[in-house]
């Protein structure tokens, strides 16, 4: 480079040396490390993650730190406002709302996570096979998914709950019967995109069979979008649980979930608002936490969205 | 284009058939026969009842009868309330639900687009941040919690709006707002990201270079093009409004189809559950299909894709 006729003090020519051109200054980071660095910068998502950790911790220890049990009735002390004795007050049967809230947290989180994981398992298998095999198999499998995708989700869940009867297992079953399709579509799209890349060809040349290519190469490389979808499925399931409880299709008493607590608390809104306030607040906080984490993950895992 | 719509129509039809078939057979699996809750019936009367409703026929006859009846827009009788048919319930409740739904869609669209456009125009300024925080909160608060919150604040504490029932325009405000919250937040986010994309296009620069005012650029050039994803969201939006109306109508004591549906679920009135489900499904699939057609008609770019897809 020749010296430029610029203001000397502002512009210094550093020149270039051949051995420096190839030098990598930044330490090489794995995909996940880099994603974490991006995620960490997202304040809202970090707040969501922190919130979620608090919620999960409280779900684990909450029912044990008060001396009341979530299912024991105490009719002498029904509908007590929050106090030193009952931190979140009591409900119409005198049950401690604090204990019930965290017992409910366990069930609501369990429903959300279980439904999401089952969706994930079916979605990966269905979408993975459809995308990897391609051609006729893909055509048939995705047409089936398309037809099911057209079915209004909540309506089908309601029908299934009416027929199967109330309960934790039937609720998760009803949610997953239509829930896996979104995940299957995501996985298929990813696999379709990845399977033509060279590392797959390389693996095949080295003698890997289809199953190994699919589960060792294609699925792990699709983990980003899968993780985002997973994170966003959990709040949907928690919402659906609460929704079904409102329709009288929730869990059987004395089991407490946030949905059943909120739907029990609603008629008492005028005089005993805390019975609705606590479960409702935690439903919102949990959905909020998962939503912002999901958004944060999407920004962090998709390099195209980075600024 | 026509080929594409034909294909879409065919899939809609198949989805509908799956729904009708699934509900029909699931309802047959439901515990108890339709008359179990009534007093112990003498066997002759039960046989008569079964014959009257065609329940003594083999399942395939019943199934094809059901399909035929739905094709002629007859959703069957209620087994719990004598003399009342699902068609009666629909014609009584649906106009109310429709009015509420349209009001909610209007609120969601108007405010959602406004928020989204503001957020995009003031990208990375406080307007943007506050709209997006509002949107993420709106998505996180389920409609029934929003309903309870609005009821508590505006009806019980401030007493400026009626708590429940369905008499005047004032009665419609709170339920429509509660129903609109989540879709409003979604539309705001959709509009924002689509506006940001549109605003970075060259034709916006051209418009600026021509000396057009900011208002003209925003309204005539940007918003019109940014509306495409919002139009395609109208299908899911109507689905959300319909399912949302179940709980909202119940909370506010509105005599719409949604609250009738919830009552029939609680009474285990199987034929009504089935009929209303099928009615809602037809409604939803049709609205999604219509949105698809509108989308294809207003966006010339879609034709190209449709041909590729059809090939």
């Amino acid at each position: 480079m020749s010296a430029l006729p610029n203001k000397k003090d502002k512009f210094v020519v550093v020149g270039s040396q051949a051995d420096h051109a190839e030098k990598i200054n930044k330490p090489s980071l794995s995909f996940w490390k880099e994603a974490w660095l991006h995620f960490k910068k997202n304040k809202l998502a970090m707040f969501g993650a922190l919130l979620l950790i608090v919620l999960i911790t409280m779900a684990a220890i909450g029912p044990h730190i008060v001396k009341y049990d979530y299912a024991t009735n105490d009719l002498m002390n029904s509908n007590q406002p929050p106090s030193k004795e009952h931190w979140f007050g009591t409900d119409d049967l005198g049950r401690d709302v604090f204990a019930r809230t965290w017992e409910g947290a366990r069930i609501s989180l369990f429903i959300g996570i279980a439904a999401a994981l089952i969706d994930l398992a079916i979605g990966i298998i269905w979408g993975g096979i459809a995308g990897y095999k391609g051609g006729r198999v893909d055509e048939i499998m995705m047409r089936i998914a398309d037809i099911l995708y057209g079915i209004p989700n909540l309506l089908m869940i309601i029908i299934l709950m009416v027929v199967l009867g109330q309960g934790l297992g039937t609720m998760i079953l009803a949610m997953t019967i239509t829930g896996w399709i979104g995940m299957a579509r995501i996985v298929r799209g990813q696999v379709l995109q990845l399977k033509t890349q060279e590392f797959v060809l390389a693996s095949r040349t080295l003698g890997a069979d289809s199953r190994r290519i699919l589960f060792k190469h294609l699925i792990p490389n699709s983990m980003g979008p899968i993780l985002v979808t997973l994170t966003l499925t959990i709040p949907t399931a928690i919402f659906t649980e609460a929704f079904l409880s409102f329709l009288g299709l929730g869990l059987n008493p004395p089991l407490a979930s946030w949905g059943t607590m909120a739907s029990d608390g609603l008629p008492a809104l005028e005089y005993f608002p805390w019975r609705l306030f606590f479960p409702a607040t935690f439903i919102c906080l949990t959905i909020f936490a998962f939503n912002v984490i999901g958004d944060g993950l999407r920004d962090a895992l998709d390099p195209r969205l980075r600024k | 284009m026509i080929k594409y719509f034909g294909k879409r129509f065919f899939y809609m039809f198949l989805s509908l058939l799956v729904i009708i078939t699934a509900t029909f057979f699931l309802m047959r699996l439901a515990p108890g026969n339709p008359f179990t809750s009534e007093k112990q019936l003498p066997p002759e009367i039960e046989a008569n009842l079964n014959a009257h409703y065609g329940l003594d026929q083999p399942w395939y006859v019943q199934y094809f009868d059901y399909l035929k009846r739905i094709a002629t827009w007859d959703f069957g009788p209620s087994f719990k309330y004598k003399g009342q048919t699902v068609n009666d319930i629909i014609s009584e409740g649906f106009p109310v639900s429709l009015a509420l739904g349209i009001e909610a869609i209007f609120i969601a669209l108007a405010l959602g687009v406004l928020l989204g456009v503001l957020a995009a125009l003031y990208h990375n300024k406080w307007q943007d941040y506050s709209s997006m925080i509002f949107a993420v909160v709106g998505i996180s608060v389920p409609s029934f919690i929003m309903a309870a919150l609005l009821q508590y604040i505006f009806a019980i504490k401030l007493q400026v709006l009626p708590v429940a029932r369905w008499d005047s325009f004032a009665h419609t405000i709170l339920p429509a707002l509660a129903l609109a919250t989540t879709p409003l937040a979604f539309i705001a986010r959709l509009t924002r990201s689509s506006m940001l994309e549109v605003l970075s296009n060259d034709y916006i620069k051209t418009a600026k270079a021509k000396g057009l005012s900011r208002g003209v650029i925003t309204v005539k050039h940007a918003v019109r093009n940014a509306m495409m994803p919002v139009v395609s969201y109208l299908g899911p939006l109507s689905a959300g409004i319909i399912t949302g109306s179940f709980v909202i109508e119940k909370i506010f004591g509105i005599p719409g189809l949604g609250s009738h549906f919830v009552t029939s679920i609680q009474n285990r009135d199987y034929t009504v559950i089935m009929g209303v489900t099928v009615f809602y499904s037809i409604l939803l699939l049709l609205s999604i299909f219509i949105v698809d057609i509108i989308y294809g008609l207003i966006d010339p770019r879609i034709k190209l894709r449709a041909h590729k897809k059809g090939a």
Side-chain angles (χ1 to χ4, degrees):
Chain A
M1 260 191 197
S2 59
L4 292 163
N6 250 321
K7 290 173 195 159
K8 311 172 217 165
D9 39 357
K10 279 195 180 167
F11 229 17
V12 182
V13 178
V14 288
S16 73
Q17 283 167 293
D19 53 330
H20 278 274
E22 295 293 313
K23 197 180 158 204
I24 297 168
N25 277 317
K26 224 178 142 194
S28 141
L29 289 173
S30 75
F31 174 69
W32 293 104
K33 263 202 185 128
E34 195 169 347
W36 166 240
L37 284 180
H38 278 272
F39 187 80
K40 233 172 30 179
K41 276 188 213 143
N42 187 335
K43 281 188 201 112
L44 202 57
M46 280 308 280
F47 175 68
L50 193 72
L51 195 62
L52 190 64
I53 292 171
V54 172
L55 284 166
I56 290 175
T57 316
M58 282 311 285
I61 62 167
H64 303 298
I65 55 178
V66 284
K67 55 182 186 284
Y68 303 99
D69 170 59
Y70 78 97
T72 311
N73 297 353
D74 177 11
L75 292 173
M76 300 296 287
N77 282 313
S78 63
N79 290 324
Q80 295 293 316
S83 64
K84 240 185 214 161
E85 270 303 291
H86 296 281
W87 296 344
F88 287 180
T90 61
D91 68 1
D92 52 339
L93 297 173
R95 294 174 295 197
D96 185 58
V97 175
F98 186 85
R100 285 180 75 69
T101 299
W102 299 115
E103 192 65 33
R106 292 178 174 192
I107 292 182
S108 289
L109 286 171
F110 174 75
I111 290 175
I113 293 168
L117 287 181
I118 297 174
D119 283 354
L120 175 75
I122 306 176
I124 281 187
I125 294 171
W126 192 277
I129 292 176
Y132 186 71
K133 291 276 176 200
R136 183 114 250 162
V137 179
D138 178 37
E139 183 76 10
I140 293 170
M141 287 177 91
M142 287 334 276
R143 286 308 147 253
I144 293 175
D146 278 351
I147 293 165
L148 291 177
Y149 195 72
I151 295 176
N153 230 338
L154 268 174
L155 281 176
M156 213 59 222
I157 293 174
I158 290 172
I159 292 278
L160 284 166
M161 288 301 289
V162 167
V163 176
L164 297 171
Q166 287 151 246
L168 197 62
T170 51
M171 189 180 276
I172 293 172
L173 179 70
M175 283 183 199
T176 45
I177 281 183
T178 50
W180 58 271
I181 297 165
M183 183 63 86
R185 291 180 141 199
I186 299 277
V187 175
R188 172 183 174 266
Q190 284 293 312
V191 169
L192 268 183
Q193 231 178 55
L194 288 172
K195 74 171 178 185
T196 52
Q197 294 200 3
E198 266 120 27
F199 70 92
V200 177
L201 187 67
S203 177
R204 184 179 303 272
T205 334
L206 289 171
D209 59 0
S210 296
R211 179 195 288 221
R212 190 181 160 83
I213 292 176
L214 190 55
F215 289 103
K216 286 270 171 198
H217 294 292
L218 296 179
I219 301 291
N221 275 299
S222 324
M223 238 28 214
I226 291 177
L227 203 64
V228 173
T229 316
L230 191 71
T231 325
L232 296 175
T233 311
I234 298 173
T236 315
I238 292 177
F239 164 80
T240 309
E241 183 274 323
F243 181 84
L244 290 173
S245 300
F246 262 89
L247 300 186
L249 292 170
L251 303 171
N252 292 317
L255 273 186
S257 72
W258 286 336
T260 53
M261 290 177 69
S263 106
D264 289 345
L266 189 67
L269 178 64
E270 193 165 354
Y271 301 106
F272 316 118
W274 59 89
R275 282 175 49 195
L276 176 66
F277 176 78
F278 289 108
T281 307
F282 288 112
I283 292 175
C284 298
L285 284 179
T286 311
I287 296 179
F288 173 81
F290 277 111
N291 275 334
V292 292
I293 293 173
D295 286 349
L297 280 177
R298 178 164 40 209
D299 294 346
L301 293 175
D302 190 344
R304 279 166 303 176
L305 287 176
R306 284 184 196 148
K307 283 168 207 153
Chain B
M1 197 71 172
I2 286 167
K3 195 177 162 192
Y4 172 68
F5 289 144
K7 208 170 150 185
R8 292 278 304 118
F9 189 81
F10 179 66
Y11 278 116
M12 179 186 77
F13 183 75
L14 275 185
S15 291
L16 197 59
L17 200 65
V18 171
I19 297 168
I20 296 172
T21 312
T23 37
F24 179 83
F25 287 104
L26 281 171
M27 283 304 162
R28 288 176 62 89
L29 290 177
N33 76 43
F35 311 113
T36 32
S37 68
E38 288 166 42
K39 276 173 272 171
Q40 196 58 49
L41 291 169
E44 304 84 47
I45 292 183
E46 200 173 326
N48 269 340
L49 275 173
N50 280 339
H52 177 74
Y53 289 118
L55 296 176
D56 52 348
Q57 306 280 341
W59 65 265
Y60 51 87
V61 177
Q62 288 188 37
Y63 174 63
F64 285 108
D65 269 358
Y66 192 67
L67 285 186
K68 247 184 264 168
R69 271 190 281 133
I70 284 178
T72 55
W73 204 252
D74 172 9
F75 295 99
S78 159
F79 281 151
K80 285 274 146 81
Y81 301 102
K82 294 275 129 49
Q84 198 178 24
T85 65
V86 178
N87 287 54
D88 292 341
I89 295 174
I90 290 172
S91 56
E92 189 195 309
F94 186 61
V96 175
S97 298
L98 189 68
L100 175 64
I102 287 175
E103 195 177 329
I105 288 178
F106 180 75
I107 294 174
L109 274 177
L111 294 183
V113 169
L114 186 72
L115 272 185
V117 169
L118 274 181
L121 288 182
Y122 298 95
H123 185 42
N124 285 336
K125 302 217 173 69
W126 67 266
Q127 291 97 329
D128 186 16
Y129 292 125
S130 44
S131 327
M132 283 311 109
I133 287 175
F134 176 82
V136 77
V137 169
I139 288 171
S140 305
V141 180
S143 56
F144 43 86
I145 291 175
M146 198 62 192
L149 192 71
L150 290 173
Q151 241 179 1
Y152 190 70
I153 296 174
F154 292 100
I156 296 175
K157 287 286 154 200
L158 300 176
Q159 305 206 326
V160 286
L161 287 166
V163 180
R165 302 212 320 179
W166 188 255
D167 292 325
S168 64
F169 177 70
H171 288 86
T172 68
I173 297 174
L174 291 185
L177 272 179
L179 205 48
T181 310
T182 310
L184 192 163
F186 263 111
I187 291 173
R189 282 168 60 140
L190 267 181
T191 310
R192 173 179 176 269
S193 57
S194 142
M195 267 298 272
L196 284 178
E197 207 184 306
V198 168
L199 285 176
S200 69
N201 272 332
D202 285 343
Y203 63 80
I204 298 291
K205 263 185 216 139
T206 312
K208 269 184 202 159
K210 282 198 302 188
L212 294 182
S213 72
R214 197 171 178 190
V216 172
I217 294 176
T218 309
V219 176
K220 286 234 162 143
H221 296 250
V223 175
R224 269 179 72 173
N225 283 301
M227 278 306 94
M228 300 311 293
V230 178
V231 170
S232 66
Y233 177 67
L234 286 176
L237 170 68
S238 40
I241 295 283
I242 285 178
T243 45
S245 73
F246 302 165
V247 271
I248 297 298
E249 285 180 10
K250 194 158 179 289
I251 291 174
F252 286 97
I254 297 167
L257 188 54
S259 58
H260 284 306
F261 185 54
V262 176
T263 313
S264 71
I265 290 171
Q266 280 157 354
N267 289 339
R268 296 293 189 272
D269 194 345
Y270 293 126
T271 44
V272 176
I273 299 177
M274 189 160 136
V276 175
T277 305
V278 172
F279 171 74
Y280 275 138
S281 309
I282 294 175
L283 197 72
L284 275 180
L285 289 174
L286 265 181
S287 60
I288 291 171
F289 179 67
I290 291 169
V291 166
D292 261 15
I293 293 181
I294 294 175
Y295 196 74
L297 291 179
I298 58 177
D299 188 352
R301 284 168 299 185
I302 211 97
K303 278 177 201 152
L304 229 124
R305 228 193 300 157
H307 274 304
K308 263 187 206 157
K309 249 188 196 169

